[in-house]
Amino acid sequence: MESISRVWKFGNDIDTDLIIPARFLNVSDQNELAKKCFIDVKPDFAGSIQNGDVIIAGSNFGCGSSREHAPWSIKAAGIKVVIAKSFARIFYRNAFNIGLPILESMDAWELFEEGDQIEVDLSAGKIMNKANGKQTMANPIPDFMMNIIQAGGLVQYIKNKDRL
Amino acid sequence: MPMTITEKILAAHAGLDTVKPGDLIDVKVDMALANDITAPLAIRVFDELGVKTVFDREKIALIQDHFVPNKDIASAQQTKIMTEFARLYGIKYYFDLGDSGIEHVLLPEKGIVVSGDLVIGADSHTCTYGALGAFSTGMGSTDLGVTFGTGRTWLKVPETIKFVYEGTLGHWVSGKDLILFTLGKIGVEGAVYKTMEFAGKVIRNLSMDQRFTMTNMAVEGGAKNGIIEPDDITKSYLSEHTNKQYTFFKSDPDASYEKILTINTNEIEPQVALPHSPDNVKGISELDNIKIDQVFIGSCTNGRIEDLQIAAKVLKGQKVAKGIRLIVLPSTPLVYKEALQKGIIETLLDAGAVLGPPSCGPCLGGHLGILAQGEKAVSTTNRNFIGRMGHPESEVYLASPAIAAASAILGKIGSPDDI
């Protein structure tokens, strides 16, 4: 899977209250959640995303609450992949479960400015800056998480295993 | 093979003799919980699974606590989804208004979660139950929805960091100060994916209410779970609260830890986490004249009876400073009733506090006490991220009930000794 898109940059310890403030959690409709994604820190975010854009963040992305509304709002807003130095554990698990692709890379943050064009090869983990051709490889996705992705999310993975 | 308490509980629930950090295991779940924000998503996932019924109607807990009493039409619709699901499947531990309180206070109080259990919850502060010597961790709604159907989940066995607290506790220093101090030391990424095991003489002397406060905030260090070995204090708590069978697991003396940190508590004064991170911690004496607008005492962190008792002790015969709003939400109906019987409610009212129903509301900027632009609050809660309790340009200072109560009287952040 390949996508060409623009970069949105964020720093370290981006918490779930920043991704979607709790006052908007009274609904679970994805499209409604998408409109409120990062509303307090980047009010123009949800309205300006082009389908296929990419978030590049620092460490501990998604820390804080367990709200699955956070990865849902990012996914429904049109973000194709989140690349971070590291992820908070509940967010990491949630992202795979709902089928929001995420990649861990220590180097990507340095390679991009906000708005740069980026090319991501998800299956290979290759990340490239389209402007200058610089590239890096993300950490390989653990086999177990890859199985969940290939099944199309946790629900289908569990169904396939016929454990019900 | 020697194991930690966490490893022993995980092994027991995976049907294995031993586990070690890094192992991927499939475990049976003793209790799976969700609240009015996370349950509707979990229920949608459960429906997608296409199973006939839930795995065990006595091992699911659904609690109305975040936006209750319903703050608007949308949140009323959410709780309705939960109510209908609970009725359809005969969920035993479904808590509607009147019975309901803040989940992480309510479930131990009602004896629904006990020592040795493996608990998952669609709420990050599910790690609270570690104070009982249970393994408990927060997950998302999809994980919970699947577990509603299967009774199982997968886990990666975490490394454990052991925190040993030695020394004595100073005046007005509580479990909240210990956990804030610890977060200040290790940072919000200090225990990501790991277990925080709290040990040492100081912990052994800590009440259950204060132990819950400490394990509650393990997630603020990024941890998978926080845990405390059960002892006579745990036993006495369980004898008052449950008829359920429980198991005491303890770490082997030669269990292996990623690291062991010893913290001397003699030097620890009351702690405050400054905006906008729970690890931005300073001692109370380092803070100078920070004027505030609101004080909130409550939440799954510090809304228990001992917390209200401490607040009342500080506020007895005092008045909340002019222009300051003091909001107190007892965390469960029982906490409320006990506070009434002990005269705490009267003391708080006399001081000028506003009492509200059990609810998570203000902690997450949901309702029942939202901050305006530029306002500052002292709060006994667990997070002070940007916009957490209201306007993105408001500020939250996290502290203990003693500091919160004193600050309400002073109109600025301070300790009871400053009154």
Side-chain angles (χ1 to χ4, degrees):
Chain A
M1 183 178 152
E2 195 174 279
S3 61
I4 300 167
S5 17
R6 295 174 312 164
V7 166
W8 295 81
K9 272 187 91 174
F10 291 87
N12 295 331
D13 303 322
I14 297 299
D15 62 75
T16 50
D17 282 277
L18 284 184
I19 299 171
I20 181 148
R23 63 184 184 274
F24 301 118
L25 303 184
N26 54 0
V27 296
S28 30
D29 179 78
Q30 295 154 27
N31 295 324
E32 287 303 311
L33 294 171
K35 289 179 198 162
K36 306 298 190 299
C37 191
F38 287 113
I39 192 158
D40 283 346
V41 280
K42 288 196 183 189
D44 59 337
F45 182 79
S48 320
I49 291 177
Q50 289 167 15
N51 218 15
D53 281 358
V54 171
I55 287 174
I56 297 187
S59 56
N60 203 25
F61 186 89
C63 63
S65 110
S66 69
R67 63 188 72 155
E68 209 164 274
H69 313 66
W72 271 123
S73 73
I74 292 173
K75 187 182 180 194
I79 292 291
K80 275 289 176 273
V81 52
V82 181
I83 302 166
K85 290 181 182 175
S86 64
F87 291 89
R89 61 162 281 277
I90 303 178
F91 186 93
Y92 182 85
R93 196 171 170 128
N94 284 347
F96 283 101
N97 283 348
I98 70 154
L100 170 69
I102 58 173
L103 291 172
E104 284 181 329
S105 163
M106 289 304 288
D107 308 323
W109 207 85
E110 302 295 337
L111 291 185
F112 293 89
E113 297 298 328
E114 176 129 333
D116 280 356
Q117 285 220 330
I118 182 173
E119 189 174 304
V120 182
D121 182 339
L122 272 179
S123 52
K126 196 168 80 177
I127 301 162
M128 188 174 81
N129 188 320
K130 293 280 282 178
N132 55 25
K134 284 186 184 167
Q135 52 179 289
T136 188
M137 296 295 289
N139 299 345
I141 293 171
D143 289 344
F144 179 70
M145 305 312 287
M146 207 61 197
N147 292 340
I148 294 179
I149 294 176
Q150 281 165 354
L154 185 67
V155 172
Q156 203 52 47
Y157 172 78
I158 295 290
K159 280 183 164 181
N160 294 352
K161 280 183 74 183
D162 197 26
R163 286 188 353 183
L164 298 173
Chain B
M1 195 176 83
M3 288 190 287
T4 65
I5 174 173
T6 294
E7 289 157 4
K8 284 183 183 178
I9 298 172
L10 293 178
H13 287 80
L16 299 168
D17 292 334
T18 61
V19 296
K20 60 177 189 316
D23 288 354
L24 268 178
I25 54 170
D26 179 60
V27 290
K28 73 176 175 65
V29 173
D30 296 313
M31 190 57 62
L33 60 117
N35 57 52
D36 49 308
I37 286 180
T38 58
L41 274 174
I43 290 165
R44 188 195 293 166
V45 168
F46 172 82
D47 289 340
E48 282 171 25
L49 276 180
V51 292
K52 283 202 192 81
T53 187
V54 296
F55 82 103
D56 188 334
R57 66 170 204 91
E58 297 190 9
K59 290 186 176 175
I60 293 173
L62 296 173
I63 306 104
Q64 291 190 17
D65 61 0
H66 274 63
F67 288 157
V68 295
N70 294 328
K71 70 163 182 156
D72 53 21
I73 293 168
S75 58
Q77 295 295 124
Q78 299 282 97
T79 49
K80 193 176 169 202
I81 293 171
M82 200 158 97
T83 307
E84 287 171 352
F85 178 84
R87 284 193 189 138
L88 180 61
Y89 294 104
I91 302 300
K92 185 175 178 187
Y93 300 118
Y94 171 56
F95 296 99
D96 207 335
L97 283 201
D99 299 321
S100 196
I102 296 178
E103 49 198 322
H104 309 311
V105 183
L106 190 75
L107 297 189
E109 177 191 284
K110 293 207 174 275
I112 293 164
V113 169
V114 296
S115 311
D117 277 356
L118 190 148
V119 183
I120 64 166
D123 187 280
S124 61
H125 291 107
T126 302
C127 54
T128 309
Y129 313 114
L132 290 164
F135 175 89
S136 59
T137 191
M139 292 185 183
S141 294
T142 297
D143 273 310
L144 262 291
V146 166
T147 299
F148 287 173
T150 65
R152 305 188 74 86
T153 194
W154 66 269
L155 287 166
K156 191 167 162 188
V157 179
E159 299 264 10
T160 298
I161 306 174
K162 187 174 183 178
F163 298 84
V164 184
Y165 298 85
E166 298 290 355
T168 53
L169 287 186
H171 208 204
W172 302 114
V173 175
S174 65
K176 182 63 166 285
D177 303 293
L178 295 181
I179 189 64
L180 287 177
F181 180 85
T182 305
L183 291 167
K185 287 281 165 219
I186 67 166
V188 291
E189 296 179 57
V192 173
Y193 297 100
K194 292 174 184 146
T195 298
M196 293 174 82
E197 183 177 324
F198 304 114
K201 196 180 105 229
V202 176
I203 303 297
R204 298 275 70 97
N205 291 321
L206 221 50
S207 66
M208 279 312 299
D209 280 4
Q210 295 196 43
R211 291 181 188 187
F212 283 122
T213 301
M214 292 191 70
T215 48
N216 172 269
M217 289 189 73
V219 67
E220 267 55 73
K224 181 171 286 185
N225 67 314
I227 200 159
I228 293 173
E229 280 185 354
D231 57 15
D232 286 345
I233 290 176
T234 326
K235 202 169 174 178
S236 146
Y237 180 91
L238 289 166
S239 71
E240 286 172 30
H241 291 273
T242 195
N243 297 318
K244 266 190 163 179
Q245 265 204 315
Y246 56 85
T247 313
F248 277 11
F249 289 93
K250 301 215 169 184
S251 293
D252 292 320
D254 51 349
S256 101
Y257 291 93
E258 190 200 69
K259 57 186 160 193
I260 299 175
L261 296 173
T262 302
I263 293 170
N264 179 352
T265 60
N266 292 338
E267 306 302 317
I268 298 180
E269 57 169 336
Q271 304 285 302
V272 179
L274 277 56
H276 291 284
S277 181
D279 65 2
N280 189 15
V281 175
K282 285 197 160 63
I284 189 85
S285 65
E286 297 174 75
L287 302 179
D288 187 33
N289 202 26
I290 300 174
K291 292 206 165 61
I292 55 168
D293 304 281
Q294 179 171 305
V295 172
F296 173 52
I297 298 175
S299 84
C300 60
T301 313
N302 280 121
R304 297 180 179 80
I305 190 66
E306 192 180 322
D307 301 314
L308 302 191
Q309 243 162 348
I310 292 167
K313 192 174 159 189
V314 175
L315 286 156
K316 182 95 186 163
Q318 300 282 348
K319 284 279 178 200
V320 172
K322 197 117 186 100
I324 308 295
R325 310 181 294 265
L326 170 60
I327 298 166
V328 183
L329 303 188
S331 54
T332 67
L334 184 64
V335 171
Y336 209 130
K337 192 172 158 190
E338 273 187 54
L340 197 63
Q341 288 165 344
K342 289 178 197 290
I344 291 170
I345 302 291
E346 194 176 346
T347 301
L348 296 174
L349 287 171
D350 284 345
V354 176
L355 269 291
S359 179
C360 306
C363 170
L364 69 161
H367 66 156
L368 301 172
I370 307 293
L371 299 175
Q373 183 172 23
E375 287 193 328
K376 292 182 169 69
V378 175
S379 180
T380 67
T381 54
N382 43 54
R383 289 184 181 136
N384 55 352
F385 301 146
I386 292 170
R388 173 73 180 181
M389 291 181 74
H391 195 280
E393 286 166 35
S394 60
E395 293 187 352
V396 179
Y397 296 75
L398 304 175
S400 68
I403 296 301
S407 302
I409 298 163
L410 295 163
K412 59 177 186 145
I413 301 177
S415 123
D417 294 335
D418 301 332
I419 297 166

